[in-house]
Amino acid sequence: TILVVTNSVAPGGGSEAVAAASAVGLAARGHRVILAGATGPVRPGLGDVPGLEIVAAYPGGPPPVRVKPMIEAMWRSGARRTM
């Protein structure tokens, strides 16, 4: 199992796009891949990739701005413990 961690599994560019493409490529080569991100919604087409599991702490989108710093701190510490 390969864990790919990114800030968001939502459509967009930058590191999120690289993480999604990497996860899809690894799954296509037969690996079991978990793509984990803090926010959604899930990028179109990712839910249909065999061998790819997607986990989002907030699948509906980012949390309200007033709690965002707290959520980011918890996410970073949780990801650090998981790795």
Side-chain angles (χ1 to χ4, degrees), residues 4 6 12-24 35 43:
V4 178
T6 183
S15 63
E16 289 85 1
V18 172
S22 299
V24 168
L35 177 62
R43 187 179 289 265

Side-chain angles (χ1 to χ4, degrees), residues 15-47:
S15 63
E16 289 85 1
V18 172
S22 299
V24 168
L26 290 164
R29 288 168 180 75
H31 298 282
R32 179 176 180 261
V33 181
I34 300 170
L35 177 62
T39 62
V42 175
R43 187 179 289 265
L46 283 183

Side-chain angles (χ1 to χ4, degrees), residues 39-73:
T39 62
V42 175
R43 187 179 289 265
L46 283 183
D48 303 327
V49 177
L52 177 60
E53 179 183 345
I54 302 163
V55 178
Y58 290 92
V65 174
R66 66 185 179 280
V67 297
K68 187 176 179 186
M70 179 183 68
I71 298 300
E72 287 178 351

